[in-house]
Amino acid sequence: EDKVVQSPLSLVVHEGDTVTLNCSYEVTNFRSLLWYKQEKKAPTFLFMLTSSGIEKKSGRLSSILDKKELSSILNITATQTGDSAIYLCAMYSGNTGKLIFGQGTTLQVKP
Amino acid sequence: EAGVVQSPRYKIIEKKQPVAFWCNPISGHNTLYWYRQNLGQGPELLIRYENEEAVDDSQLPKDRFSAERLKGVDSTLKIQPAELGDSAVYLCASSHQGDAFFGQGTRLTVV
């Protein structure tokens, strides 16, 4: 069964810290892995990682896909209070066409 | 480019009443998803459309939930009758090539 597991489930840091969020997956036919930031209601798209694009970076956020280990990390450097949110990892299965989400990591950045 | 549009943003109804949610996906996106998200959890897939065809509705509680996507564009999700446990955020997303973009969601409260 296709599955996505995120860790940790919650994290509290102080402004300026660097954080690493983890996502591991099991899938029969991997197509892409997506990261989202969810602040209030709607998840906001951050990155899409595929076999041909295993590393993405945007400002202080970066993400790497490790296809061998079936996992991905999301790094946030020099965290700010505005980074406080739930970070969701999702996997797109090429076989089923399903987009399956992990349970999310709740990040709180304290001043 | 307009994003995914959902309405209403909020809905409060009494149990046993019907309710409907509407979604307009990003233009050109053939894949449309409806997700339900409970507090502290990741989104859970209810139904996925490829154009006007529901290709995965295995998670949709068909005794009370129904969905349609006439002409392969807009979609509606209906609950009849609603139960207290249906209180959640209902998210619509559309996809083109392995990514997915979400609407603002509808927060449903059943009292």
Side-chain angles (χ1 to χ4, degrees):
Chain A
E1 181 183 337
D2 296 342
K3 188 168 63 173
V4 177
V5 177
Q6 292 184 244
S7 65
L9 293 182
S10 64
L11 192 56
V12 181
V13 300
H14 288 92
E15 273 192 317
D17 289 349
T18 293
V19 297
T20 299
L21 310 182
N22 300 285
C23 175
S24 63
Y25 62 89
E26 296 176 16
V27 66
T28 49
N29 184 3
F30 175 85
R31 180 170 175 180
S32 61
L33 187 143
L34 312 177
W35 282 99
Y36 293 87
K37 179 183 182 182
Q38 187 173 28
E39 292 179 87
K40 290 186 178 178
K41 281 202 298 187
T44 304
F45 178 81
L46 293 175
F47 299 119
M48 180 172 77
L49 302 165
T50 66
S51 298
S52 58
I54 62 172
E55 190 166 350
K56 294 285 176 71
K57 181 177 172 61
S58 176
R60 296 178 295 104
L61 275 66
S62 62
S63 183
I64 298 173
L65 175 69
D66 187 336
K67 284 203 70 179
K68 184 177 179 182
E69 296 296 326
L70 304 185
S71 65
S72 174
I73 59 171
L74 176 68
N75 276 324
I76 308 175
T77 60
T79 52
Q80 303 170 358
T81 55
D83 295 327
S84 297
I86 299 170
Y87 290 85
L88 294 165
C89 172
M91 177 198 61
Y92 190 84
S93 167
N95 262 3
T96 64
K98 282 186 177 180
L99 186 62
I100 302 167
F101 282 83
Q103 65 273 60
T105 294
T106 300
L107 174 66
Q108 183 183 359
V109 181
K110 291 186 173 181
Chain B
E1 177 183 300
V4 178
V5 179
Q6 287 188 248
S7 68
R9 296 286 299 274
Y10 303 89
K11 190 75 176 178
I12 301 174
I13 61 171
E14 294 183 343
K15 62 182 180 181
K16 300 185 182 179
Q17 294 301 306
V19 64
F21 314 123
W22 175 80
C23 174
N24 178 242
I26 293 173
S27 177
H29 283 196
N30 296 328
T31 305
L32 184 147
Y33 304 88
W34 281 103
Y35 285 89
R36 176 171 59 189
Q37 187 176 22
N38 292 306
L39 192 64
Q41 299 179 20
E44 296 176 328
L45 180 68
L46 292 173
I47 190 168
R48 174 172 67 95
Y49 283 92
E50 294 292 342
N51 298 303
E52 67 274 12
E53 182 182 359
V55 296
D56 184 355
D57 63 357
S58 56
Q59 308 277 42
L60 191 71
K62 298 181 185 61
D63 56 335
R64 298 183 300 106
F65 286 65
S66 64
E68 61 182 10
R69 191 184 184 195
L70 299 177
K71 300 181 182 179
V73 182
D74 293 2
S75 177
T76 56
L77 177 69
K78 297 178 182 178
I79 308 174
Q80 182 172 11
E83 296 179 352
L84 295 177
D86 296 331
S87 296
V89 175
Y90 290 82
L91 295 164
C92 177
S94 70
S95 172
H96 179 53
Q97 291 181 335
D99 53 12
F101 297 89
F102 284 84
Q104 286 299 303
T106 297
R107 183 178 298 280
L108 173 68
T109 302
V110 182
V111 297

